[in-house]
Amino acid sequence: MSWGSEQPGQQQAYGQEGYEYGEQPWPYVQGYAQQPYEEGYAQQPYVQGYPRQPYEQGYAEQEQEQEQEQEPEQEPEPVPEPRAGARDRYFDALRAVALVRVVAYHTFGWAWAGLVFPSMGVMFALAGTLMAKSLERPALKVVRSRMRRLLPPFWFWGVFVVVAMLIHDWMPGWQIVFWIVPVGDPPGNHWGIQAWEILWYLRTYLWFVLLSPLLLWIFRKAPIPVLLLSLVPIVVFQYGWTPPWNRFGSAITDLATYLFCWLVGFAHREGVLRRLRPPSVVLASLAALAYGGWYAFAHQGEFGTYDLDEIPLAQAFWSAGFVTLLMYFKAYYDVDFAWLARFKRLDRIVTIFNGRAVTIYLWHEIALVLAVPLIDQFWKVPAFEKWLPLESQWFMFGIGWVLIWIAIPLFGWVEDVAAKKKPKLLP
């Protein structure tokens, strides 16, 4: 399949079934460092800047205390309380920024992107606080609801990817069951690696959902000690036992990397963060950031980069410090970003990003892939060749977003069906 030349920085992967060395894979793979893998499974980078992710469709604002009754002439103008299920725009804005950063990272491959904004840590923290809120209901119903929201969009997207890989000589084995329930990374051939490689996030999210009833029970026993101890597994994996390079090893490494972020979401929801003193939180967060940043830069020779996506220990500590500050800022100052409502277009974009987060996450890599042959066609038009920056990655970034916005109304309605809502072109 010829969709244009392979972009600079594309990595080769070996040993994939249905793929011979030298065969042309998906035409654009930016920002990945591949590990050897077994039987159709590629070792994932440990935070591949994705997302994807399914989220609760709304947030319940905390109820405001009633004003004491006053004389009519002294009563101030009433402030309407937020309606039940109203969205928290602070969380919405963070998720939207995280998704933009994910797409940018997979376009440009910036190693520093994770230091500026660790998208995956932020997204796991947001999912953790929503999961803790939902677990006020029976755990089994909550887990079923989360899986129902996640799996149909995944299956719908997977049909396209699996059929395309079968057409390009993929011979799946029994591991194809992971395309039904992705408790392990679904397999595929190297031709389609850019599309299916992002599924590490869905697998990790699914495991956190399944484990959350137990994790929340443990967390409530001793919130602060459990939160601090959640960083121990990733330290052990770095300095003690190293997980194997397979589905099992990849899964537990990713869980260990983002366990703190998920639990700090619990801490926010349970009111633990609000009770902490600012100096203690700031100092602890800065210490985690310092250690994560130091480890990333001090071990560039070992990992070949300071990109946090390739260094689980650095990712865990940097994300822990960064996310703690974001969540504490929200808890301590009760920030809600209600001012977004004054900017209607921006507010609308944030709403669409949150209502179609799974769609954007799943389809953004395919959009970047399709941008390559589309730009190749532009070269055939003399005016485009002269006046458009066809060689610029920024131009491809823009074309990618155009294709993402096309995918949102075409495929996003599946999220509504999964949530048992009336399908809409836009949320």
Side-chain angles (χ1 to χ4, degrees):
M1 184 170 187
S2 178
W3 282 357
S5 60
E6 184 174 322
Q7 298 297 315
Q10 181 173 353
Q11 306 294 326
Q12 292 290 350
Y14 310 97
Q16 182 65 37
E17 60 185 13
Y19 171 69
E20 296 181 1
Y21 180 75
E23 181 180 340
Q24 178 70 18
W26 287 82
Y28 180 76
V29 181
Q30 185 65 276
Y32 293 101
Q34 300 300 321
Q35 303 289 342
Y37 49 96
E38 58 178 11
E39 296 185 326
Y41 167 71
Q43 174 65 21
Q44 308 296 328
Y46 298 101
V47 176
Q48 302 162 23
Y50 298 123
R52 61 162 257 186
Q53 72 214 279
Y55 304 99
E56 186 82 3
Q57 298 299 313
Y59 308 92
E61 297 285 346
Q62 295 185 356
E63 297 182 359
Q64 300 177 354
E65 296 182 359
Q66 298 292 334
E67 297 287 344
Q68 292 184 348
E69 201 172 314
Q70 300 179 1
E71 293 295 328
E73 62 272 19
Q74 297 177 345
E75 185 174 346
E77 183 178 350
V79 178
E81 293 188 6
R83 60 183 174 82
R87 300 189 67 94
D88 188 315
R89 302 309 270 170
Y90 180 77
F91 287 163
D92 284 354
L94 288 180
R95 186 175 298 110
V97 172
L99 288 170
V100 171
R101 206 283 286 166
V102 164
V103 178
Y105 175 76
H106 289 106
T107 303
F108 302 99
W110 293 324
W112 48 264
L115 296 169
V116 174
F117 194 85
S119 290
M120 305 319 296
V122 171
M123 293 168 75
F124 279 118
L126 298 180
T129 196
L130 293 174
M131 190 66 187
K133 172 187 177 296
S134 296
L135 284 173
E136 295 169 1
R137 299 181 283 119
L140 182 59
K141 290 184 178 180
V142 173
V143 171
R144 288 171 56 189
S145 174
R146 284 294 191 278
M147 294 185 68
R148 188 189 69 241
R149 290 175 180 269
L150 171 65
L151 294 179
F154 165 65
W155 292 333
F156 183 83
W157 171 88
V159 167
F160 291 88
V161 177
V162 168
V163 170
M165 291 191 298
L166 290 172
I167 293 173
H168 288 82
D169 302 324
W170 180 44
M171 293 294 293
W174 67 266
Q175 297 92 345
I176 199 172
V177 298
F178 294 117
W179 280 98
I180 301 174
V181 181
V183 291
D185 293 303
N189 63 3
H190 195 70
W191 182 89
I193 193 171
Q194 188 174 348
W196 55 260
E197 193 173 36
I198 64 173
L199 295 178
W200 74 271
Y201 173 78
L202 272 69
R203 176 256 294 151
T204 306
Y205 173 85
L206 180 58
W207 274 111
F208 274 133
V209 166
L210 295 172
L211 293 171
S212 279
L214 175 61
L215 289 175
L216 185 58
W217 179 79
I218 296 173
F219 176 81
R220 285 172 172 168
K221 296 294 183 181
I224 298 302
V226 170
L227 189 60
L228 296 176
L229 288 173
S230 66
L231 289 169
V232 171
I234 194 64
V235 175
V236 171
F237 291 170
Q238 182 61 46
Y239 294 107
W241 176 69
T242 301
W245 294 114
N246 55 25
R247 282 185 177 85
F248 169 75
S250 179
I252 63 172
T253 300
D254 290 337
L255 285 169
T257 301
Y258 296 107
L259 179 59
F260 182 97
C261 294
W262 191 269
L263 294 183
V264 86
F266 287 180
H268 172 268
R269 177 62 193 177
E270 296 288 299
V272 174
L273 293 181
R274 184 187 293 271
R275 297 192 293 268
L276 299 178
R277 300 184 63 181
S280 301
V281 175
V282 171
L283 287 176
S285 298
L286 292 179
L289 287 167
Y291 179 72
W294 167 82
Y295 191 89
F297 285 97
H299 292 79
Q300 289 186 70
E302 178 182 349
F303 294 94
T305 180
Y306 63 88
D307 189 340
L308 299 180
D309 287 8
E310 309 301 332
I311 312 173
L313 182 65
Q315 180 70 263
F317 277 85
W318 185 270
S319 294
F322 197 98
V323 167
T324 298
L325 291 175
L326 288 178
M327 301 300 281
Y328 185 73
F329 181 71
K330 165 66 178 173
Y332 192 79
Y333 294 101
D334 197 23
V335 181
D336 60 7
F337 276 21
W339 54 265
L340 272 175
R342 298 198 299 267
F343 304 91
K344 293 185 178 180
R345 291 186 179 179
L346 179 60
D347 187 67
R348 180 62 176 147
I349 291 173
V350 170
T351 297
I352 293 173
F353 268 60
N354 281 267
R356 295 292 181 259
V358 180
T359 300
I360 294 172
Y361 180 78
L362 286 173
W363 291 92
H364 83 273
E365 280 284 27
I366 293 180
L368 292 176
V369 167
L370 295 177
V372 175
L374 182 58
I375 294 174
D376 285 346
Q377 298 303 311
F378 288 178
W379 285 99
K380 299 178 181 179
V381 181
F384 289 171
E385 182 179 0
K386 181 177 181 180
W387 297 109
L388 295 179
L390 302 181
E391 295 181 345
S392 171
Q393 285 184 302
W394 282 102
F395 186 73
M396 190 173 82
F397 182 65
I399 295 297
W401 274 110
V402 169
L403 296 176
I404 289 171
W405 280 105
I406 292 173
I408 288 173
L410 283 180
F411 311 125
W413 56 268
V414 181
E415 292 193 59
D416 292 331
V417 173
K420 294 186 177 180
K421 294 182 177 182
K422 181 179 179 181
K424 297 180 180 179
L425 292 179
L426 293 175

